[in-house]
Amino acid sequence: MTIPVAKVLAALLVEPDEQRYGLDLMRLTGLPSGTLYPVLHRLQGAGWLAADWEAIDPVAAGRPARRYYRLTAVGVTQARQALADLRAAIPDGRRSWGGTEPTGAPA
Amino acid sequence: MTIPVAKVLAALLVEPDEQRYGLDLMRLTGLPSGTLYPVLHRLQGAGWLAADWEAIDPVAAGRPARRYYRLTAVGVTQARQALADLRAAIPDGRRSWGGTEPTGAPA
DNA sequence: CACCCCTATGTAGAGTTCCGATACAGTGGT
DNA sequence: ACCACTGTATCGGAACTCTACATAGGGGTG
């Protein structure tokens, strides 16, 4: 897990049933295309993400076809877990924290 | 900012006045030494962290001297801000659809 | 038509970072 | 002699990010 990957997963989890495409995710995450697309390809390789080309005629629509990405069932579960783990590992300052350490066990 | 750096900062912010040393931070963060020490050196270079050798006689103490790290005044402020920004950028992957029913396709 | 900006996906390469392996040095146990 | 433990630290390959750039078509302006 890296921060860009986490941003992509978070964006996809906002509305897991919604179809998302690259440029859309670039705007949502603030990531440049050179970061986003490799991330999307890696997530597909891991089986977390599935993709399909939009079924339009680019000429008639007046724009290039989009490639729609959506989390697989496995992806939704894994992504939720991964983000929860990440958040648990990075509390925002102060507050007690277990870490990896065995806290002084109360009697 | 990367995740390992964030973990180190979070660990140091738990008790900003407390003296922390490498092995201690390894256990708190779960990071291997090959990751942790370069991070600590980078944070020192950035002025967020200061370090001093523990003033003990290793022979008498029966263990190697520790190198204590603590956040500078600037470091505390910057670290808090950085972690807050990171948390804001990675919202938790939860959304309404609570439980078994899908929200997307009403019958 | 040349020129630029827009949508949209994607690659190339340089630089940065991570982490397993390894090193050093001393204590203590069997 | 050998291993386990405390403690700090580096090396080098793999992985990742991100600035450019590439492609390819639409639309507008001079």
Side-chain angles (χ1 to χ4, degrees), chain A residues 2 4 31-35 39 42 59 62 64:
Chain A
T2 59
L31 296 172
S33 74
T35 298
V39 166
R42 288 202 300 277
V59 177

Side-chain angles (χ1 to χ4, degrees), chain A residues 14-103:
Chain A
V14 171
E15 217 81 46
D17 298 324
E18 198 88 9
Q19 297 272 20
R20 298 288 187 197
Y21 61 99
L23 199 52
D24 187 17
L25 289 167
M26 284 173 58
R27 289 190 272 251
L28 284 169
T29 60
L31 296 172
S33 74
T35 298
L36 178 69
Y37 289 105
V39 166
L40 292 175
H41 295 333
R42 288 202 300 277
L43 289 174
Q44 284 178 76
W48 292 26
L49 208 55
D52 292 293
W53 284 104
E54 182 185 25
I56 60 157
D57 177 20
V59 177
R63 60 165 174 80
R66 297 166 179 169
R67 189 151 174 83
Y68 281 120
Y69 298 94
R70 65 206 131 65
L71 287 167
T72 60
V74 166
V76 171
T77 309
Q78 299 288 107
R80 283 227 182 83
Q81 186 63 57
L83 288 191
D85 290 350
L86 179 55
R87 286 200 130 228
I90 321 275
D92 48 351
R94 305 188 153 196
R95 230 53 195 153
S96 63
W97 178 35
T100 327
E101 180 201 37
T103 38

Side-chain angles (χ1 to χ4, degrees), chain B residues 8-9 12 16-22 25 39-54 66-76:
Chain B
V8 172
L9 294 178
L12 288 164
D17 298 326
E18 198 89 9
Q19 296 271 23
R20 299 287 188 200
Y21 60 100
L25 289 168
V39 167
L40 292 175
H41 295 333
R42 288 202 300 276
L43 289 174
Q44 283 178 76
W48 293 26
L49 206 56
D52 291 294
W53 283 104
E54 182 184 25
R66 297 166 178 166
R67 190 151 174 82
Y68 281 119
Y69 299 94
R70 66 207 132 64
L71 287 168
T72 60
V74 167
V76 171

Side-chain angles (χ1 to χ4, degrees), chain B:
Chain B
M1 274 292 294
T2 59
I3 292 169
V5 172
K7 284 183 181 176
V8 172
L9 294 178
L12 288 164
L13 277 173
V14 172
E15 216 83 45
D17 298 326
E18 198 89 9
Q19 296 271 23
R20 299 287 188 200
Y21 60 100
L23 199 52
D24 187 19
L25 289 168
M26 284 173 60
R27 288 190 273 250
L28 284 168
T29 59
L31 297 173
S33 74
T35 298
L36 178 69
Y37 289 105
V39 167
L40 292 175
H41 295 333
R42 288 202 300 276
L43 289 174
Q44 283 178 76
W48 293 26
L49 206 56
D52 291 294
W53 283 104
E54 182 184 25
I56 59 156
D57 177 20
V59 177
R63 61 165 174 79
R66 297 166 178 166
R67 190 151 174 82
Y68 281 119
Y69 299 94
R70 66 207 132 64
L71 287 168
T72 60
V74 167
V76 171
T77 309
Q78 298 289 107
R80 284 226 182 86
Q81 186 63 56
L83 288 191
D85 290 351
L86 180 54
R87 275 175 87 78
I90 319 271
D92 151 334
R94 214 147 305 222
R95 210 52 181 174
S96 33
W97 78 306
T100 28
E101 59 208 339
T103 43

